[in-house]
Amino acid sequence: MQVAIIKYNAGNVRSVLYALERLGVEAVLTDDFETIQKADKVIFPGQGEASSAMKYLKQRNLDRLIKDLRQPFFGVCLGQQLLCEHTEENDTECLGIFPIKVKKFPAFDKVPHVGWNSLENMDSPLFKDLEEDPYTYYVHSYYAELSPYTIATTHYMHDFTALIHKDNFYAMQAHPEKSGKVGETILKNFLAL
Amino acid sequence: MLTKRIIPCLDIKEGRTVKGVNFVELKDAGDPVELAKIYSDEGADELVFLDITATVDKRKTLLELVEKVAKAINIPFTVGGGVSTVEDVKMLLGAGADKISINSAAVKNPAIIDEMAAEFGSQCIIVAIDTKNIDGIDFVHTHGGRKPTILKTQSWAKEVSDRGAGEILLTSMDHDGTKNGFANEITSELSSMLPIPIIASGGAGKMVHFWDTFTAGKADAALAASIFHFKEIGIPELKEYLSGRGVSVRTTF
């Protein structure tokens, strides 16, 4: 199986590579169009700021490439937010694969939302073999609103979208590569799609 | 529900763990990677590696270690100890660290916090503050707590938060090593005042101390070293205890 991890100007991309290595899967970190198009699975990781990431993707036409992909695709953290329509982070238009808005957490409680929080209302083959309300590791200030595409929620101040799914596109706000066995199971389930 | 975090801290010198470790499972007591894996398997929520190497070639050894740790464990980890420039942060994150912690260098040049947060995002910048109470006033100390400054802890904490720190690691020099409990008064004061998470550190000796700091101290996370290294408290029993007393912790993983 060929797994491509999209290389762009976001942090944390190597952690995903290491996580796949621990699962015995060799992946390539690449921004090469052909390699990405031919891959069996594509992972779009990332930590960082939305507008500079979108700018980088557009300059290299990676935005169009991503929209046209048909193989199972998994966005992580900022990768999930960028798949949505718009984010409040520097008022940025995103890829628009999901017609969902990304908002900033209100200042009622501490922001960023940092630490281990539970997944609820899980409904997807991605959660096969997981126990109820498993914990995953979050570190973020922006969240995707609840939508018909939401396949799991998490509660921080209010419920927000933990994972989304539409056609071949899946995405997750928490970091599966840093979420212990739970994260490994979700990655494994994605790779088995 | 968001859980309170338990964070073991490993002191590193020339790529090896420093404090005496007597885990029976360990083949090599000085191997930080092996120890990190054990903690991670036992349910530690994060790890902190504090590099206390003083030699000039410390960077290379540390980067090699960070890469090995990143490959081996599947929970987040922070690296601190002598981090002072944007370039240092770039290299550590590039090697696989999730967060870095900065201490003396931030006191010396506070603008470095803004620069680091702008370049890498607040989520990976922890500012460590060593505090000591002198005649009823909390003062920031640097250089491992040895050097007093004229900065008041409360105003410095507010400043680092305003400048873009993602979390504060607050170590009380009065409590560190005493095993008499965390400094809950100042921890609670900062936690109530600031919009970012506070990691309490210094003074852990018994399980009840963690309960105290998560309730009275309003800490978001608690860090300890020797009680975990010497197996005085196991992470699974600590979490079971906290959970039994109504503190939300990650008990399944």
Side-chain angles (χ1 to χ4, degrees):
Chain A
M1 182 170 52
Q2 275 293 328
V3 180
I5 301 173
I6 299 180
K7 190 169 137 189
Y8 67 117
N9 63 335
N12 199 42
V13 288
R14 275 179 74 193
S15 301
V16 176
L17 196 66
Y18 294 153
L20 294 176
E21 272 176 23
R22 287 192 292 271
L23 291 173
V25 176
E26 268 201 48
V28 283
L29 186 59
T30 180
D31 56 5
D32 178 63
F33 275 43
E34 209 183 315
T35 312
I36 295 170
Q37 281 162 339
K38 281 190 178 161
D40 301 302
K41 303 273 171 4
V42 177
I43 298 180
F44 183 41
Q47 215 172 57
E49 193 275 317
S51 70
S52 57
M54 272 312 297
K55 199 172 151 198
Y56 184 98
L57 293 173
K58 279 184 182 164
Q59 277 168 354
R60 287 159 184 78
N61 280 327
L62 281 163
D63 57 332
R64 279 195 224 157
L65 172 84
I66 290 171
K67 286 185 208 175
D68 290 339
L69 292 175
R70 290 293 168 259
Q71 63 273 62
F73 184 101
F74 195 48
V76 172
C77 191
L78 179 65
Q80 164 168 299
Q81 298 174 7
L82 295 180
L83 292 179
C84 295
E85 193 174 80
H86 177 269
T87 172
E88 287 184 357
E89 188 172 22
N90 291 318
D91 190 16
T92 305
E93 292 301 322
C94 301
L95 295 164
I97 289 165
F98 292 89
I100 301 175
K101 302 238 188 297
V102 175
K103 301 201 154 174
K104 184 161 188 175
F105 279 116
F108 299 145
D109 205 337
K110 299 190 176 186
V111 179
H113 170 222
V114 183
W116 296 80
N117 204 333
S118 46
L119 295 177
E120 285 154 26
N121 305 307
M122 300 188 293
D123 180 18
S124 165
L126 283 188
F127 308 125
K128 191 175 154 268
D129 301 329
L130 287 181
E131 286 177 34
E132 227 174 275
D133 304 346
Y135 289 103
T136 54
Y137 184 81
Y138 285 93
V139 50
H140 63 128
S141 302
Y142 296 82
Y143 67 93
E145 283 187 310
L146 295 177
S147 79
Y149 305 101
T150 301
I151 52 171
T153 65
T154 289
H155 189 87
Y156 187 61
M157 293 189 252
H158 50 72
D159 283 354
F160 67 89
T161 290
L163 286 97
I164 41 179
H165 169 221
K166 183 189 169 201
D167 306 326
N168 57 318
F169 290 96
Y170 294 80
M172 173 165 181
Q173 178 59 57
H175 289 276
E177 75 283 9
K178 291 289 165 183
S179 294
K181 294 225 164 66
V182 171
E184 281 180 10
T185 304
I186 293 173
L187 282 175
K188 226 187 269 177
N189 289 336
F190 167 72
L191 295 173
L193 286 174
Chain B
M1 191 177 179
L2 183 62
T3 57
K4 301 285 190 183
R5 289 169 282 156
I6 304 292
I7 309 177
C9 176
L10 289 79
D11 286 346
I12 304 294
K13 194 172 181 183
E14 279 142 26
R16 310 267 297 163
T17 8
V18 179
K19 283 183 185 157
V21 183
N22 54 3
F23 280 88
V24 283
E25 310 93 297
L26 276 180
K27 286 186 209 88
D28 174 0
D31 180 3
V33 181
E34 238 191 300
L35 188 57
K37 264 174 106 168
I38 290 178
Y39 281 141
S40 155
D41 291 344
E42 282 188 337
D45 297 306
E46 285 185 45
L47 297 171
V48 168
F49 294 84
L50 192 61
D51 187 41
I52 55 170
T53 313
T55 53
V56 279
D57 56 346
K58 66 177 280 179
R59 184 179 275 179
K60 190 169 162 277
T61 324
L62 181 63
L63 288 174
E64 280 170 11
L65 174 65
V66 169
E67 191 170 335
K68 273 191 226 160
V69 171
K71 283 184 175 170
I73 68 167
N74 54 17
I75 59 169
F77 69 99
T78 300
V79 180
V83 177
S84 58
T85 63
V86 167
E87 187 58 25
D88 289 342
V89 179
K90 195 172 186 177
M91 286 168 77
L92 289 167
L93 296 179
D98 297 287
K99 313 177 192 180
I100 61 87
S101 93
I102 176 171
N103 191 336
S104 304
V107 173
K108 208 170 147 193
N109 173 22
I112 196 77
I113 303 168
D114 307 61
E115 275 177 53
M116 288 174 178
E119 178 91 18
F120 309 105
S122 292
Q123 84 289 338
C124 63
I125 308 298
I126 296 181
V127 175
I129 301 178
D130 293 341
T131 181
K132 195 171 183 177
N133 192 283
I134 299 170
D135 297 330
I137 302 168
D138 299 296
F139 285 102
V140 176
H141 284 59
T142 58
H143 300 83
R146 292 187 306 275
K147 226 173 127 182
T149 71
I150 52 159
L151 290 169
K152 282 189 190 159
T153 303
Q154 288 84 344
S155 53
W156 174 236
K158 168 90 170 56
E159 180 174 348
V160 306
S161 168
D162 289 345
R163 285 181 181 275
E167 292 178 78
I168 288 175
L169 168 57
L170 181 70
T171 303
S172 163
M173 304 318 294
D174 305 302
H175 292 242
D176 202 28
T178 65
K179 298 199 174 182
N180 286 329
F182 294 93
N184 294 320
E185 211 170 304
I186 178 84
T187 304
S188 151
E189 194 182 341
L190 297 193
S191 190
S192 307
M193 179 176 91
L194 301 176
I196 57 174
I198 308 292
I199 305 164
S201 156
K206 296 179 186 154
M207 293 204 283
V208 69
H209 296 152
F210 288 86
W211 185 77
D212 287 339
T213 205
F214 288 139
T215 52
K218 299 191 177 105
D220 298 282
L223 177 140
S226 58
I227 54 151
F228 295 135
H229 299 331
F230 293 110
K231 279 218 152 173
E232 290 164 28
I233 297 176
I235 294 168
E237 55 169 336
L238 174 60
K239 286 197 160 181
E240 200 174 316
Y241 165 84
L242 289 169
S243 168
R245 294 196 69 179
V247 175
S248 167
V249 286
R250 183 178 65 119
T251 46
T252 55
F253 39 88

